[in-house]
Amino acid sequence: MNDAPIAGDAVPLELRIDAKSYRSADGTPVEVVRGLELRLDAGSFGALIGPSGCGKTTILRIAAGLDKDFQGRLNTPGSGRLGFVFQEPRLLPWRTVEENIRLALPAHLSGVDLTDLVEILGLGSHLARYPGELSLGLARRAAIARAFAVRPDFLLLDEPFVSLDEAVAARLRDELLALTTRTKVTTLFVTHHLEEAIQLADRLFFLSDRPARIVLEKTLPPPRGGRSQEVAASIRAEARALAARPL
Amino acid sequence: MNDAPIAGDAVPLELRIDAKSYRSADGTPVEVVRGLELRLDAGSFGALIGPSGCGKTTILRIAAGLDKDFQGRLNTPGSGRLGFVFQEPRLLPWRTVEENIRLALPAHLSGVDLTDLVEILGLGSHLARYPGELSLGLARRAAIARAFAVRPDFLLLDEPFVSLDEAVAARLRDELLALTTRTKVTTLFVTHHLEEAIQLADRLFFLSDRPARIVLEKTLPPPRGGRSQEVAASIRAEARALAARPL
Amino acid sequence: MWPRIFSLAALIAVWALAAALAQSRLLPGPFVIGAEILAEIRSGELPFQMACTLGRVIVSFAIAMLLGTAAGYVMGRSKAVDRFADPWLVVLINMPALVIIIFAYIWVGLNETAAILAVAVNKLPNVTAVMREGARALDPELDEMAEAFQLAWFARMRHVVMPQLAPYLAASSRSGLSIVWKIVLVVELIGRPNGVGFVLGSAFSLFDMARILSYAISFIVLMLVIESLLVQPLERRANRWRRRPA
Amino acid sequence: MWPRIFSLAALIAVWALAAALAQSRLLPGPFVIGAEILAEIRSGELPFQMACTLGRVIVSFAIAMLLGTAAGYVMGRSKAVDRFADPWLVVLINMPALVIIIFAYIWVGLNETAAILAVAVNKLPNVTAVMREGARALDPELDEMAEAFQLAWFARMRHVVMPQLAPYLAASSRSGLSIVWKIVLVVELIGRPNGVGFVLGSAFSLFDMARILSYAISFIVLMLVIESLLVQPLERRANRWRRRPA
Amino acid sequence: RASEALRIGLQSTGTFAWQLDVIRRHRLAESAGLDLKVSEFASPDAGKLALNSGSVDIAVTDWLWVARARALGAKLLFYPYSSAVGAVMVKNQSPVHGIEDLRGRVLAIAGGPLDKSWLIVQAAATRRGIDLKHETTLEYGAPPLISQKLQQGEAEASLNFWNFCASLETRGYRRIFEVRDAEAALGLSEPVALIGYVFSEPFASEHRSAIDRFIAAAQKANDIMLQSDEEWNALRPLMNAEDDRIFKAYRDRTREGMPRRPIAAEEADARALFKALASIGGAELVGPSQELDPGLYYRPAPRGD
Ligand SMILES: Nc1ncnc2c1ncn2[C@@H]1O[C@H](COP(=O)(O)OP(=O)(O)OP(=O)(O)O)[C@@H](O)[C@H]1O
Ligand SMILES: Nc1ncnc2c1ncn2[C@@H]1O[C@H](COP(=O)(O)OP(=O)(O)OP(=O)(O)O)[C@@H](O)[C@H]1O
Ligand SMILES: [Mg+2]
Ligand SMILES: [Mg+2]
């Protein structure tokens, strides 16, 4: 592996999944991940890219420590304050948007001012609404606000920017870029959108179909956000070749 | 209006929403649509494009006859067999994928063979799974399968292809194109993805921010699916201009 | 199955210990009761009385569940009906069992119809109260889905509504069956010439704890068997779709 | 508010009509009962007996709800605990009220503690059965969310778990309060020197329907007032987030 | 002559069951041309319910209840069945020897505050200047429970029904005050039968002869039970007597309680008792009327077959 170490003192994310399978309702085991080894330097930004249903969400849940039922080893970075944007918003329907965000805050942040964050996400006029009264796009933004608000030192995002119009999505991408650069939070990001990944990530992990393993790992040249057309084009070409290749 | 009539004998979709507002939990009314007039010829394909939270889902629900609490008039095309891909999968969690699909079928189709449809959507090995065991992308595909399986004569799709990898999404777009062309079903489609809209639609409706109204209506030259680069570029330019313009 | 048997064995052990410590006619141990039950079974008395009670339990349970579920569903779904019917429900649910039983016996007669009616009327409002909550908690999104795909009324009930009401149904039928059985006992005690309640009443006036316990426990054993062999496998089937907690 | 009053008026009208048609000492009309209630209030008898009963109802209801909810939650969450505790629950839930009352009075004494204990033990398994279903139906996705964001135990209970259990709590406390009140009546009837149940016992042996009904109805009126002024506003608040059906 | 059906309500653990058993075994009903249809119930109140709903023709019930119901307008008739009553009892070694000694002690009462025996004892005590209601600590409860409480020592004295008294007597308890004595203290020449056969006036007027024949058959059964000890051996399985002493106590108390005097004499004493009860129980107990309704007692036609 040719890692490019970025931040110094903090620990990297180290995830080794030898095997992970679910037992489905009729009893048959479904193998989802096999022989996956993923290392992400502290403070760097990794993107997972893979076909639908290959096991990306499963990997994130394992990385978050939510699913301990797997064979392998997990080493999480930072003090363990986690920000997670799930694939669905997962808001508490009986709490308003603001309550949903504040509930997730650790004690020392409980009184924090959310105005800026909420303005950036365009949630200003919806803070007092219940999730059932939001459009899906707004609900997603509330979920993103929640994950950002906790000031995580480990951030997991599962396709956070789908269901948003291009303008909002672009703004949020910039915001995510700024946030991760500023706070040096280790981030693992799932997307189907290659351009997005190229814009945001330090490192791309291309996954195979189920059972998922890493078929290609790619370090992108800094700086994030300002990749040249050539870099993007070469990655695109590589990804296309990968998709065409029989597994 | 400069409609380009496509199919002959069937009735067009005519939707006029003078005003639609929700009453939120704290009692304040939220105006979502105002003065919107939408006409879609029988058998043609319309795409709604607009900022997140502007009211697209609301319009679809009204067009489907699910929300009758609005001021205006609705005239739906066809005999009223509706196919609806909601923004979330909305599967019955206690029924398998196959049961979910079959349950939606009208009586005369109840025994129909689903193999082809299911193969195209890549659901083959998941038919006996419960929705809770699917990845979000798979669940979305199941929802799409359900809407296609009923052989609708009025099809509503609310961002059906998000959360899918590019390969699957492209395949499904082609499939939708083929289906709508073959069956001449009147279709209303919501997307944030301009390219997708340009590929699929006969007619684009650009919506303003909330309260939603149509700010630009655009008929695309046939044939669908094979639009030239110039057409696409010109539409993109127009859309960009629209986004830049203060409302 | 094994944990159940183990747990029951523990329960019986606790009981035997308590009985041994108490050394009293008022707390007979498991062996005394077991012998008593066997004797009562052999004499045919217990099966007969149990059958009488069981018949009443089943009929009035069925009536209460059917009507109560229907009423609760309608009240939970329609605000208008709820507003009107709610005070009636409060009145009925808080009417003492004794009052209902007396009225039934006086106005219908001291007969089987009155007994079953009294039990059903006693239980019905509880079912209604529980099912109303269930109906209120139904997911409007699935409703919309059902409407969009024009599911027939029956299919909607069976595939969309009932599975959502299932935990409420399970709760109200499990706690409901026990309530019905308890009320049947009172109804039999007050005015039926047979059944477990009749036996308990007579045994109580003689303070025959062995007899009281042997009948009560026979019924409980029956319930345990039904739970283990019928209800729980069914429940497991119905809950198959739930994601197992990790 | 108006539909409630209208609906109650209708109920009273039906009752008055039935009483007028029956023309019997055994079905006194609303006016007779109203007069009786006033007289009993003026004599101070009714408020005193009602207070005794109400005290017992409140204490045993609180005990049963607290313990029952806790037990139900744990059983619904943990398969292991459930497997072990379920048979005990089945035994307890099906134990006839009479048996529990007798045991309490014999082993604890003919006193207040025994009475309250007997009621609480009678009611507790029903709460447990309902809350267990609620706990089983908890959404695992919200659990994951709470774990990811490391919500403290208390916050998790209050904001994630309790709102999901709310309909079950509402159901079990509404139908539970009525059950507690009914069992308190029996407990008082069998062995307390005061309370509504004690009065009903005497009135029953004299077949004094007017007295029976006036006490029963006084309690029901109390419940109606509590429902209308306390429970329903609270419930409306708690359910504010629910999308109104179109 | 075709036998006439008579529906009878019966409390399963009561002594009426014994009498009916004698009638059955000696075919007294058949020979009187009656076909008895017996419904057994567990609760002492079932008889009242059954009469009220018209489910039985005859039940054995409280004298006071009938008197009260009549005062409130129910047309019911009463014919004496038994005058057996209970007693206030204490442990053999107890320092309590008379009701005077009950002051400041715990007295448990079977039934409730309106129980007839309790009222009679209260009335008699009042005449002796003892206010039991205020000078003792009272416990009320169901009869079996009260009996148990005395045995557990939670109550120092108890007033219970005669059958519980009979069994207590054999377990080391003694009587300190008989309800029978209380009745005498109230000026009655003989104890009044406090329970009896009850039926409705309309039924009585239509089936007079059937009732008379039933009463005659019951009388014959009483005669048999009075004279024959053998008969009691046959009844023993019904009696739930744990040992011989209880069995004998049951037998003797039952015999003692069989009413033998003419209705007129009975009624005179009943009238006096009612007055005494009305003075202490008030309208709550006896209903609106302070006088015993003269039509309460059923008078069989003079025998002249
Ligand atoms: N039940 C409701 N009560 C109050 N406001 C509501 C309700 N449902 C929707 N809204 C509001 O109406 C607006 C339009 O909602 P809608 O779901 O139609 O948006 P949308 O265009 O589909 O957005 P998205 O692209 O995010 O899905 C949103 O601002 C939303 O907050
Ligand atoms: N509880 C479960 N039981 C059985 N199979 C499961 C369960 N959860 C997930 N799976 C299966 O595991 C595979 C991977 O699921 P996962 O959600 O990780 O996919 P994903 O890569 O996130 O897909 P998507 O892009 O659609 O979100 C899928 O095929 C899914 O059907
Ligand atoms: Mg996923
Ligand atoms: Mg939407």
Side-chain angles (χ1 to χ4, degrees), chain E residues 83-298:
Chain E
S83 63
V85 277
V88 180
M89 299 190 71
V90 297
K91 253 201 171 64
N92 275 341
Q93 358 9 339
S94 164
V96 177
H97 292 281
I99 45 172
E100 305 79 26
D101 304 332
L102 285 176
R103 286 198 175 97
R105 296 183 186 274
V106 180
L107 173 61
I109 311 292
L114 298 183
D115 177 70
K116 49 202 185 296
S117 303
W118 166 229
L119 291 162
I120 293 169
V121 168
Q122 253 180 290
T126 312
R127 295 214 170 167
R128 292 205 210 163
I130 306 160
D131 182 358
L132 286 177
K133 214 169 175 174
H134 296 107
E135 291 178 79
T136 60
T137 308
L138 295 175
E139 296 269 20
Y140 297 108
L145 201 57
I146 289 301
S147 161
Q148 212 55 51
K149 285 298 146 187
L150 182 68
Q151 293 176 58
Q152 286 186 329
E154 246 186 83
E156 294 166 273
S158 83
L159 170 62
N160 212 330
F161 297 172
W162 73 266
N163 49 329
F164 288 97
C165 292
S167 84
L168 279 174
E169 215 161 17
T170 66
R171 293 171 200 269
Y173 293 80
R174 62 186 155 79
R175 298 159 189 265
I176 58 164
F177 192 59
E178 299 255 9
V179 177
R180 208 165 256 279
D181 301 339
E183 287 182 86
L186 289 175
L188 311 191
S189 58
E190 246 184 78
V192 169
L194 291 179
I195 55 174
Y197 309 107
V198 180
F199 31 86
S200 73
E201 257 176 37
F203 178 79
S205 63
E206 276 167 44
H207 303 87
R208 216 178 157 78
S209 110
I211 291 178
D212 288 352
R213 276 179 277 141
F214 174 73
I215 289 175
Q219 191 56 51
K220 273 188 201 144
N222 276 357
D223 291 341
I224 297 173
M225 288 160 84
L226 273 175
Q227 283 145 22
S228 151
D229 282 354
E230 296 297 289
E231 193 58 35
W232 284 93
N233 289 334
L235 281 176
R236 187 156 179 171
L238 277 183
M239 289 170 61
N240 291 302
E242 280 138 67
D243 56 41
D244 273 351
R245 295 178 58 200
I246 295 183
F247 166 66
K248 289 215 172 70
Y250 281 173
R251 183 189 66 194
D252 297 346
R253 294 284 162 182
T254 310
R255 283 176 172 169
E256 200 179 75
M258 290 174 180
R260 264 155 290 185
R261 57 178 169 167
I263 289 298
E266 178 82 11
E267 193 176 346
D269 274 338
R271 200 173 294 282
L273 182 59
F274 192 82
K275 259 215 188 79
L277 292 180
S279 72
I280 131 161
E284 195 189 349
L285 175 65
V286 295
S289 165
Q290 295 295 301
E291 288 284 331
L292 187 66
D293 185 333
L296 174 70
Y297 280 94
Y298 174 78

Side-chain angles (χ1 to χ4, degrees), chain A:
Chain A
M1 280 195 256
N2 55 337
D3 308 45
I6 294 177
D9 42 311
V11 283
L13 165 71
E14 286 172 325
L15 174 61
R16 203 190 69 232
I17 308 177
D18 299 328
K20 160 72 194 173
S21 54
Y22 292 107
R23 180 167 290 280
S24 75
D26 55 13
T28 54
V30 181
E31 188 169 32
V32 179
V33 189
R34 189 194 302 158
L36 176 135
E37 197 150 356
L38 190 149
R39 205 188 115 92
L40 199 59
D41 286 313
S44 74
F45 192 119
L48 290 176
I49 302 174
S52 162
C54 76
K56 301 178 295 299
T57 300
T58 305
I59 295 168
L60 282 202
R61 288 177 59 241
I62 290 175
L66 294 177
D67 191 340
K68 298 190 177 61
D69 178 28
F70 69 102
Q71 285 165 45
R73 235 176 52 85
L74 168 66
N75 229 342
T76 44
S79 66
R81 174 127 297 270
L82 187 70
F84 202 144
V85 179
F86 294 94
Q87 206 167 2
E88 331 78 50
R90 293 211 194 168
L91 303 171
L92 299 172
W94 37 83
R95 295 286 180 262
T96 62
V97 170
E98 175 160 13
E99 286 166 348
N100 262 290
I101 297 173
R102 289 208 179 273
L103 271 172
L105 297 180
H108 72 276
L109 288 178
S110 62
V112 84
D113 182 25
L114 297 172
T115 333
D116 283 355
L117 180 62
V118 155
E119 277 315 316
I120 291 167
L121 289 160
L123 283 171
S125 58
H126 299 280
L127 277 184
R129 296 267 169 281
Y130 290 101
E133 304 171 336
L134 301 181
S135 76
L136 186 59
L138 287 166
R140 278 189 180 288
R141 286 184 255 167
I144 295 171
R146 177 173 61 185
F148 284 9
V150 300
R151 310 219 177 129
D153 41 35
F154 184 26
L155 184 59
L156 296 162
L157 303 110
D158 201 346
E159 301 196 63
F161 305 136
V162 302
S163 294
L164 298 176
D165 56 294
E166 222 3 87
V168 171
R171 202 166 70 232
L172 292 191
R173 267 179 224 123
D174 292 342
E175 192 51 36
L176 177 61
L177 196 61
L179 179 99
T180 48
T181 314
R182 195 169 63 240
T183 61
K184 294 227 171 304
V185 48
T186 313
T187 306
L188 196 56
F189 180 89
V190 168
T191 187
H192 285 302
H193 196 356
L194 192 57
E195 312 296 325
E196 189 173 82
I198 295 173
Q199 182 194 351
L200 296 171
D202 294 311
R203 200 171 173 80
L204 305 183
F205 302 91
F206 289 90
L207 299 176
S208 73
D209 214 339
R210 187 163 57 97
R213 56 190 170 77
I214 297 175
V215 287
L216 176 67
E217 213 171 327
K218 196 89 202 147
T219 305
L220 291 169
R224 295 163 55 208
R227 259 105 206 195
S228 64
Q229 288 290 342
E230 300 90 78
V231 172
S234 95
I235 303 254
R236 259 198 301 271
E238 239 176 309
R240 247 196 309 275
L242 207 63
R245 190 176 69 185
L247 295 170

Side-chain angles (χ1 to χ4, degrees), chain D residues 129-140:
Chain D
V130 174
M131 296 315 296
R132 180 173 62 175
E133 292 302 330
R136 280 178 183 163
L138 287 174
D139 184 354

Side-chain angles (χ1 to χ4, degrees), chain B residues 61 66 68 80-82 84 86 88 90 92-95 103-104 130 146, chain C residues 141-142 144-145 147-151 155 158-160 163-164 240-241 243:
Chain B
R61 288 177 60 240
L66 294 176
K68 297 188 178 64
R81 174 125 298 270
L82 187 69
F84 201 145
F86 295 92
E88 329 79 48
R90 292 210 193 168
L92 299 172
W94 38 82
R95 294 286 179 265
L103 271 172
Y130 290 101
R146 177 173 63 184
Chain C
E141 308 215 322
L142 292 182
E144 266 189 358
M145 186 280 287
E147 203 185 323
F149 287 102
Q150 297 159 33
L151 263 61
R158 177 161 162 222
H159 301 291
V160 183
Q164 292 184 71
R240 236 177 352 165
W241 60 274
R243 238 170 72 182

